């Protein structure tokens, strides 16, 4: 089963690094009281039974686990209960429908609740003992349509530059100190998150950063997780297949900025959605403008601004100014104004946490000397380690230099526009050649918009497949192509527009058309190493294909990275 069915979820990381060695555990009696759940008989023995792990996936069960059987769109998780018990599940938690499916056939105790999904987070937090973990392990969350991955990498790098051993949970990989594991979801299931936080606490991790997707918020994956600082990047059209419209998408994101999930917020207010998010936030909020210093939110006393942005190679240098005259100077080697925004957001999130740690108990005020010490410490880390020049796999990742060849994850209209603007060469006559496609079984309304955006900002438009999933790839390409052709004709742009059904051939064609002064942008898949077609994962890495095509034609390439991963949600 896969996540779309809502029952079985991918096993994100192996059980050994995921599970703490010394879980707190909980008895079924304790869980029954916590959840007001019915517990199958015999009560006297079942209530005393202690479970030491939690899983939603029957394939990831460890001995002593509580298996949570959830209802899905097609199948109920209770149908996998026998497999879970055979693997060592000590008990089952499910809803009324699941209990009826078990129909007394379970030889392990069963907890029955009204809503098993809603119970999952609190159960995992109880079993793994993570309820108060943010008191000892500062947690940073980043949400928004674009920039989550890069911002969490920037957070991770800055926290390391400050001398911390760090953890990271996101689209590309999961890090627990020196252990790196490929990731399968932007935000793992709540059972995995709480287990992983317990592992991090055991290993002495000093701070951790996490991407929090709208799917994670909608499906309760961060239930019972409270972040010290939650950050917001932006909101643009994406995932409307799940949310139905932008208002519902906004409301889902806004759930992160509540006392249940965060102690403080840092919100980028570069557009109306950011201003609305800052107004809706229900926790102490710091605002950030990175593109227009004239933007002033309601609470200007907690507003910071990016100023004096200047190009530095393909990257930028900038200064971050606070409401009381604070100034931090930083830079990033990654191209594009949006990476200045990502870096500034990461910097301000860490600044907010350090100032909170320096605040006086009771009144929350930060003494001037303590504030100056925090700023000096941050500036030293920025100057000594250049933390925002870390390479982020598949995010504006440089593959070749002449032509400049870049792989990026941009997979919606706003991200494509920003990426194309960022790579536009200054050399007269140099062209931008873009290779991209749209994902199947996702928001179809953005496909022609994506085609139009690329026709507007690229000179050569090469449309190909992304991840079709179970949808007809030709139909997806046709939607994108229609938008590109219409924009080209409407604006008399004179673009070259081509279509390829094989992504590797499309990438090869881009290199074939390129000269040494051009720029090639391969967009949409970024770090992903598999393409899903009709339920089959086909090996395909845009970085590998682009390097091969450049090498075959004698163009210089950069050294490859070793990061591998799979998909995003």
């Amino acid at each position: 089963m896969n996540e779309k069915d809502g029952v079985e979820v991918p096993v994100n990381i192996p059980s050994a690094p995921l599970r703490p060695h010394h879980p707190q555990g909980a008895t079924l009696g304790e869980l029954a009281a916590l959840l007001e759940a019915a517990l199958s008989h015999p009560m006297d023995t079942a209530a005393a039974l202690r479970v030491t792990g939690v899983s939603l996936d029957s394939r990831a069960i460890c001995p002593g686990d509580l298996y949570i059987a959830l209802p899905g769109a097609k199948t109920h998780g209770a149908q996998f209960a026998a497999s879970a018990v055979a693997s060592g599940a000590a008990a089952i938690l499910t809803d009324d429908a699941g209990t009826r499916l078990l129909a007394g056939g379970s030889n392990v105790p069963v907890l029955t609740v009204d809503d098993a999904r809603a119970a999952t987070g609190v159960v995992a937090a109880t079993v793994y003992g993570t309820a108060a973990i943010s008191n000892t392990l500062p947690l940073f969350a980043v949400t928004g349509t674009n920039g989550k991955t890069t911002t969490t990498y920037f957070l991770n790098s800055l926290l390391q530059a400050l001398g911390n051993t760090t953890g990271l949970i996101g689209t590309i990989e999961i890090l627990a100190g020196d252990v790196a594991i490929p990731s399968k979801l932007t935000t793992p299931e709540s059972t995995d998150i709480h287990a992983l936080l317990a592992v991090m606490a055991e290993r002495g991790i000093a701070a951790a950063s996490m991407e929090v997707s709208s799917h994670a918020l909608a499906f309760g994956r961060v239930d019972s997780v409270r972040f010290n600082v939650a950050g917001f990047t932006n909101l643009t059209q994406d995932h409307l297949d799940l949310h139905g419209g932008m208002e519902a998408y906004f409301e889902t994101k806004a759930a992160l900025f509540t006392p249940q999930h965060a102690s403080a917020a840092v919100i980028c207010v570069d557009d109306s959605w950011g201003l609305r998010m800052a107004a809706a936030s229900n926790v102490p909020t710091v605002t950030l403008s990175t593109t227009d210093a004239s933007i002033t939110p309601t609470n200007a006393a907690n507003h910071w601004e990016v100023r004096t942005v200047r190009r530095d190679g393909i990257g930028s240098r900038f200064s971050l100014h606070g409401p009381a005259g604070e100034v931090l100077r930083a830079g990033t080697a990654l191209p594009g104004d949006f990476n200045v925004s990502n870096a500034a957001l990461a910097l301000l999130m860490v600044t907010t946490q350090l100032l909170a740690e320096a605040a006086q108990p009771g009144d929350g005020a930060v003494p001037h000397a303590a504030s100056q010490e925090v700023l000096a410490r941050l500036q030293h880390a920025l100057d000594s380690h250049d933390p925002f020049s870390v390479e982020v796999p598949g995010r504006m990742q440089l593959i070749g230099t002449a032509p400049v060849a870049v792989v990026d994850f941009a997979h919606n209209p706003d991200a494509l526009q920003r990426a194309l603007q960022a790579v536009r060469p200054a050399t007269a006559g140099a062209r931008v050649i873009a290779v991209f496609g749209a994902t199947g079984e996702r928001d179809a309304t953005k496909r022609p918009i994506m085609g139009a955006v690329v026709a507007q900002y690229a000179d050569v438009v090469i449309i190909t497949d992304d991840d079709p999933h179970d949808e007809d790839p030709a139909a997806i390409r046709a939607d994108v192509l229609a938008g590109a052709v219409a924009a080209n004709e409407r604006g008399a742009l004179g673009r070259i527009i081509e279509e390829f059904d094989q992504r590797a051939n499309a990438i090869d064609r881009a290199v074939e058309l390129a000269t040494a002064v051009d720029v090639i942008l391969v967009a949409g898949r970024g770090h992903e190493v598999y393409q899903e077609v009709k339920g089959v994962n086909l090996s395909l890495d845009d970085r590998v294909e682009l390097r091969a095509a450049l090498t075959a034609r004698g163009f210089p390439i950069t050294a490859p990275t070793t990061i591998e991963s799979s998909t995003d949600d």
Side-chain angles (χ1 to χ4, degrees):
M1 302 299 293
N2 59 35
E3 191 196 30
K4 285 178 287 187
D5 294 314
V7 183
E8 297 284 81
V9 296
V11 180
N12 294 315
I13 54 180
S15 58
L18 174 63
R19 303 298 184 92
H21 291 301
H22 306 289
Q24 175 174 294
T27 67
L28 294 187
E30 292 168 341
L31 295 178
L34 179 67
L35 301 172
E36 298 182 350
L39 178 57
S40 66
H41 61 283
M43 284 290 296
D44 53 343
T45 56
L49 180 66
R50 178 171 291 272
V51 291
T52 53
V54 189
S55 181
L56 300 177
D57 190 337
S58 63
R59 299 162 299 182
I61 289 290
C62 294
D65 275 2
L66 174 69
Y67 173 55
I68 301 183
L70 300 181
K74 300 177 181 178
T75 312
H76 199 290
Q79 294 182 333
F80 301 94
S83 175
V85 171
S87 295
I92 298 167
L93 186 149
T94 190
D95 56 12
D96 288 331
T99 299
R100 287 194 299 271
L101 284 170
L102 294 173
S106 174
N107 58 359
V108 299
V110 178
L111 286 163
T112 305
V113 294
D114 292 335
D115 187 341
R117 166 63 74 176
T120 299
V122 67
V123 167
T126 302
V127 171
Y128 292 119
T130 57
I133 203 163
S134 62
N135 295 331
T136 55
L137 171 61
L139 301 176
F140 298 84
V142 181
T143 198
T145 306
N146 302 314
K148 295 187 296 296
T149 298
T150 300
T151 303
T152 54
Y153 266 77
F154 284 170
L155 279 166
N156 190 64
S157 184
L158 177 57
L159 291 166
Q160 288 180 345
L162 290 165
N164 298 296
T165 303
T166 60
L168 182 147
I169 302 172
T171 303
I172 296 174
E173 60 184 343
I174 294 171
L175 299 174
D178 57 358
V179 176
I181 306 133
S183 181
K184 292 188 176 182
L185 297 174
T186 297
T187 313
E189 271 293 356
S190 59
T191 51
D192 293 339
I193 288 175
H194 286 284
L196 184 56
L197 292 177
V199 169
M200 290 181 181
E202 267 190 356
R203 295 183 179 182
I205 301 298
S209 308
M210 186 187 305
E211 295 180 53
V212 179
S213 67
S214 61
H215 290 67
L217 292 162
F219 297 141
R221 294 182 195 158
V222 289
D223 284 0
S224 297
V225 179
R226 194 162 191 263
F227 299 95
N228 296 70
V229 183
F232 176 78
T233 59
N234 50 60
L235 196 74
T236 63
Q237 182 175 343
D238 207 357
H239 302 308
L240 299 192
D241 53 307
L242 171 66
H243 303 292
M246 290 298 292
E247 288 296 328
Y249 188 22
F250 171 85
E251 291 297 333
T252 301
K253 293 287 191 185
L256 182 62
F257 304 101
T258 60
Q260 292 80 11
H261 285 307
S263 298
V266 178
I267 295 176
C268 187
V269 293
D270 286 340
D271 58 23
S272 59
W273 290 113
L275 288 167
R276 282 187 59 185
M277 192 65 75
S281 174
N282 199 24
V283 297
T285 299
V286 177
T287 53
L288 168 69
S289 61
T290 71
T291 59
D292 186 352
S294 67
I295 293 176
T296 305
T298 303
N299 189 359
N302 288 321
H303 183 60
W304 291 63
E305 299 171 352
V306 168
R307 301 178 190 168
T308 60
V309 179
R310 60 179 176 82
R311 290 290 295 271
D312 183 22
I314 63 171
S316 303
R317 302 293 302 175
F318 65 92
S319 58
L320 180 62
H321 295 252
E326 305 95 331
V327 180
L328 290 165
R329 294 177 173 82
T332 175
L334 275 65
D337 290 342
F338 54 90
N339 278 318
V340 171
S341 299
N342 294 335
L345 178 59
L347 177 55
L348 188 51
M349 288 176 68
V350 174
T351 302
T352 299
Q353 174 60 18
L354 293 181
L355 289 175
E357 292 173 358
Q360 294 279 13
D363 62 9
V366 183
H368 179 73
S371 174
Q372 293 302 112
E373 182 179 344
V374 166
L375 295 174
R377 183 183 172 202
L378 283 163
Q379 192 62 62
H380 176 73
L382 293 167
D383 294 341
S384 301
H385 298 279
D386 195 19
F388 304 139
S389 292
V390 63
E391 182 179 78
V392 184
R395 303 309 192 268
M396 298 304 286
Q397 186 173 348
L398 190 66
I399 305 299
T401 54
V404 170
V406 176
V407 168
D408 189 61
F409 193 56
H411 60 283
N412 57 55
D414 180 71
L416 279 168
Q417 178 178 332
R418 291 174 179 238
L420 289 164
Q421 289 174 319
V423 301
R424 169 60 63 181
T427 305
R431 301 173 302 167
V432 173
I433 303 170
V435 179
F436 75 110
T439 307
E441 297 183 334
R442 299 294 185 270
D443 179 13
T445 65
K446 71 181 181 181
R447 294 172 188 172
I449 302 173
M450 292 167 62
V453 165
V454 178
Q456 183 176 354
Y457 291 97
D459 303 286
V460 179
V461 179
I462 302 178
I463 297 166
T464 187
D465 296 339
D466 193 301
D467 284 298
H469 299 300
D470 291 331
E471 200 172 341
D472 177 15
I476 300 171
R477 296 195 304 272
D479 288 344
V480 178
L481 182 63
V485 170
N488 189 41
E489 293 175 350
R490 183 170 57 248
L493 301 175
R495 305 308 194 203
I496 297 172
I497 301 177
E498 298 184 0
E499 177 187 0
F500 287 83
D501 63 351
Q502 297 293 319
R503 193 172 179 92
N505 293 342
I507 293 171
D508 188 72
R509 175 60 172 164
V511 176
E512 180 184 12
L513 293 173
T515 69
V517 298
D518 291 334
V519 173
I520 300 169
L521 175 68
V522 181
R525 303 185 70 253
H527 62 285
E528 295 173 357
V529 297
Y530 295 103
Q531 181 183 48
E532 187 188 336
V533 182
K534 301 293 184 184
V536 178
N537 285 333
L538 306 176
S539 293
L540 179 64
D541 187 327
D542 287 353
R543 298 162 295 180
V544 172
E545 299 298 335
L546 187 52
R547 284 192 186 96
L550 290 166
T551 300
R553 287 170 176 79
F555 291 129
I557 62 171
T558 61
T561 62
T562 58
I563 292 291
E564 299 258 326
S565 192
S566 53
T567 61
D568 179 52
D569 68 335

